[in-house]
Amino acid sequence: MHKDVQEILFTEEQLKARVAQLAEQINRDYEGKELMLISVLRGSFIFMADLVRQITVPCKVDFMAVSSYGKGTVSSGQVQITKDLSEDITGQHLLVVEDILDSGNTLSYLLEILWARRPASIRLCTLLDKPERRVKPVKLDYAGFSIPDAFVVGYGLDYDEHYRNLPYIGVLRPSVYGGEE
Ligand code: IMP
Ligand code: MG
């Protein structure tokens, strides 16, 4: 285990099993349709890569990047698009793939932008959900795991751009970001 990680929440094996279940649900729900998966960078890149390889309905992928955190552990509520989609999404069935839903600021803002472009439908898929921290209500269609209010890293999730490479999801030691243990 990495020295900055206090506790492992989900092992590689647990993540793999849950991602397969989510994909199964998605495949069932989108039978007969074509899907456009939209990965919200950068945190969801590993989840997206694992998920898409289990998707069996016809699908396309695109990427979007937003920033709301800067160097910190609390969302600022100010969301900016730093990289926009490459594809036209009009009339498409979108599945937005996120790493974690926290305050809900990022996703609720993103949804507004995406709906304005007139897709046929939008559903949300997040690997992790921290329901206790919600400020803006967001309806989740697919959620991997619900977690308590702790700052987690690994499997794509970062603190100050580090730890994305850890194959598991773990709680970051609060001392790393100047909090109390
Ligand atoms: P929200 O706008 O507060 O819902 O924050 C969503 C974004 O904040 C996620 O896509 C993550 O990039 C980031 N985030 C929220 N909680 C965590 C965490 O515990 N670890 C790492 N990133 C997080
Ligand atoms: Mg992030």
Side-chain angles (χ1 to χ4, degrees):
M1 188 162 79
H2 192 289
K3 67 173 174 37
D4 294 345
V5 171
Q6 175 174 289
E7 176 197 358
I8 293 181
L9 284 186
F10 306 109
T11 64
E12 235 179 310
E13 291 70 31
Q14 287 172 312
L15 291 166
K16 194 174 171 195
R18 188 67 186 123
V19 170
Q21 287 174 341
L22 291 174
E24 214 175 284
Q25 229 181 313
I26 293 166
N27 288 329
R28 231 181 296 128
D29 293 351
Y30 285 89
E31 212 186 311
K33 289 194 183 119
E34 180 169 307
L35 186 54
M36 163 83 88
L37 292 148
I38 295 180
S39 161
V40 185
L41 294 171
R42 282 169 263 179
S44 73
F45 79 109
I46 294 180
F47 175 41
M48 173 74 154
D50 283 347
L51 184 72
V52 74
R53 281 178 288 178
Q54 306 279 335
I55 297 291
T56 51
V57 296
C59 67
K60 299 194 248 183
V61 299
D62 203 350
F63 300 88
M64 198 164 182
V66 293
S67 74
S68 70
Y69 270 59
K71 184 179 169 180
T73 59
V74 181
S75 162
S76 62
Q78 296 275 324
V79 185
Q80 271 185 325
I81 296 186
T82 53
K83 182 211 171 296
D84 207 340
L85 297 171
S86 309
E87 296 280 319
D88 178 10
I89 57 170
T90 316
Q92 310 254 10
H93 294 290
L94 308 184
L95 182 64
V96 176
V97 179
E98 255 283 29
D99 52 354
I100 184 165
L101 182 59
D102 188 27
S103 68
N105 283 325
T106 309
L107 269 183
S108 58
Y109 172 77
L110 207 63
L111 281 177
E112 254 176 62
I113 295 178
L114 295 175
W115 274 121
R117 300 180 187 180
R118 313 217 163 274
S121 68
I122 306 181
R123 282 188 181 182
L124 298 180
C125 175
T126 184
L127 179 65
L128 304 175
D129 180 20
K130 280 195 222 173
E132 283 170 45
R133 307 227 332 148
R134 201 79 82 253
V135 174
K136 296 238 176 77
V138 174
K139 184 185 157 283
L140 279 174
D141 300 284
Y142 309 97
F145 300 100
S146 212
I147 63 166
D149 180 10
F151 199 81
V152 296
V153 293
Y155 196 72
L157 287 101
D158 74 304
Y159 169 66
D160 194 19
E161 294 310 323
H162 288 84
Y163 314 106
R164 295 194 196 274
N165 55 318
L166 301 178
Y168 50 82
I169 289 181
V171 177
L172 187 64
R173 283 189 193 286
S175 57
V176 174
Y177 51 87
E180 279 181 28
E181 291 274 325

